[in-house]
Amino acid sequence: MTRFDAAEPAERRKLYVDAITAHRERGSGFLTLEADPSALEGGSDAEGEGASDRASGDESGDDTDELGAPWIQFGDGTVNLDCTEDELDALKAVLEEFPAFKIDDLIRPEEAEGVNVRVSAKADPNRIAQFVDTVFLEVYELPSTGRIWAVEI
């Protein structure tokens, strides 16, 4: 792999496919994709939506800031991510668009905020890339031109 970030929708999906391919070729345990925090700080997308409450802090007082920048890991046919309860509801809605993807496990650690979700992803790299991009956009409310980094492969 020669590039490790992308901000345009088509380039992000290509980045995901390249990262999945590199991960599989290297036989690594997992790959990690992370949203650039600056994309969530006061940015807006084409529909005029504001930045995610996760990064900007919301008035509900539910400590979503503690989860940090959104990230997604992939390894051994599983997508792993952390989310708030509201983001979990959004993830369940996304999963309706991707019937081949199913929640395998929900972990709610007492010592941490949020929910760790493991989703089975028995699909080709292109379909996994579509799913990952949709999660960043619809679950984490990343602006349509938000930058994603491949931080570990």
Side-chain angles (χ1 to χ4, degrees):
M1 254 181 82
T2 58
R3 63 189 176 85
F4 296 93
D5 71 309
E8 296 301 319
E11 289 300 309
R12 279 196 312 266
R13 287 187 294 277
K14 184 173 179 348
L15 174 70
Y16 306 145
V17 170
D18 290 348
I20 291 167
T21 301
H23 152 74
R24 288 179 172 165
E25 287 174 355
R26 294 176 183 182
S28 63
F30 57 89
L31 71 93
T32 304
L33 302 162
E34 186 175 298
D36 190 319
S38 66
L40 299 167
E41 296 170 358
S44 63
D45 62 16
E47 288 79 37
E49 295 293 322
S52 170
D53 288 339
R54 166 189 287 271
S56 63
D58 65 358
E59 280 86 48
S60 68
D62 65 5
D63 296 328
T64 56
D65 288 343
E66 292 185 21
L67 292 180
W71 55 266
I72 296 176
Q73 289 183 325
F74 174 77
D76 197 27
T78 300
V79 173
N80 182 35
L81 58 113
D82 284 345
C83 58
T84 65
E85 290 294 336
D86 288 342
E87 290 167 340
L88 178 59
D89 291 340
L91 176 63
K92 289 176 180 178
V94 166
L95 287 168
E96 291 177 12
E97 301 172 36
F98 293 86
F101 294 72
K102 305 272 188 248
I103 293 177
D104 283 341
D105 200 9
L106 295 173
I107 302 168
R108 292 180 169 88
E110 290 182 26
E111 67 280 355
E113 295 293 326
V115 181
N116 178 260
V117 184
R118 294 175 192 222
V119 176
S120 65
K122 309 295 187 207
D124 65 82
N126 287 316
R127 191 67 173 153
I128 295 168
Q130 291 171 350
F131 175 75
V132 167
D133 204 47
T134 302
V135 170
F136 276 122
L137 295 173
E138 295 183 21
V139 174
Y140 294 130
E141 299 177 356
L142 184 75
S144 61
T145 57
R147 184 167 306 281
I148 299 295
W149 290 87
V151 296
E152 187 169 346
I153 297 180

